[in-house]
Amino acid sequence: MPYPDSFILMVMGAAFVGVGIAVFFWGRRQEKSYYNALSSRTDLREFLQRSPEHPQHSSVKIGGWISIIVGLVMLSIGGGLRLWG
């Protein structure tokens, strides 16, 4: 694989890692703001009896982790091709 192709693969991997980190922290911020808003309510029966089911926050964080992993794999493949290719 020629040099420009491996460089493009590494740039795409870095973009995936950057987007993954941003999405992960966005999901953490959403989860924190949700629980802060929930804890300020006067009726906390649902919150105290069980954890409310809202999968959006977890799915955003998991998507961020998947994007980070894909980006690291792309970076390692591009680096390997550039080193040995």
Side-chain angles (χ1 to χ4, degrees):
M1 185 178 259
Y3 169 76
D5 291 341
S6 64
F7 183 72
I8 291 171
L9 190 62
M10 290 177 66
V11 168
M12 287 174 47
F16 267 91
V17 169
V19 168
I21 290 171
V23 166
F24 178 76
F25 282 116
W26 180 46
R28 282 184 57 189
R29 189 183 67 189
Q30 277 187 341
E31 184 178 26
K32 184 177 179 180
S33 67
Y34 171 74
Y35 284 120
N36 284 340
L38 187 63
S39 66
S40 66
R41 294 173 57 187
T42 57
D43 181 25
L44 291 177
R45 181 176 177 185
E46 180 185 11
F47 184 70
L48 293 175
Q49 287 181 349
R50 63 177 177 85
S51 180
E53 294 294 326
H54 293 284
Q56 178 186 5
H57 309 117
S58 299
S59 63
V60 170
K61 290 193 301 187
I62 290 171
W65 278 116
I66 290 171
S67 178
I68 290 170
I69 291 169
V70 168
L72 290 175
V73 168
M74 290 174 76
L75 279 172
S76 63
I77 290 172
L81 288 174
R82 187 171 169 152
L83 183 64
W84 294 300

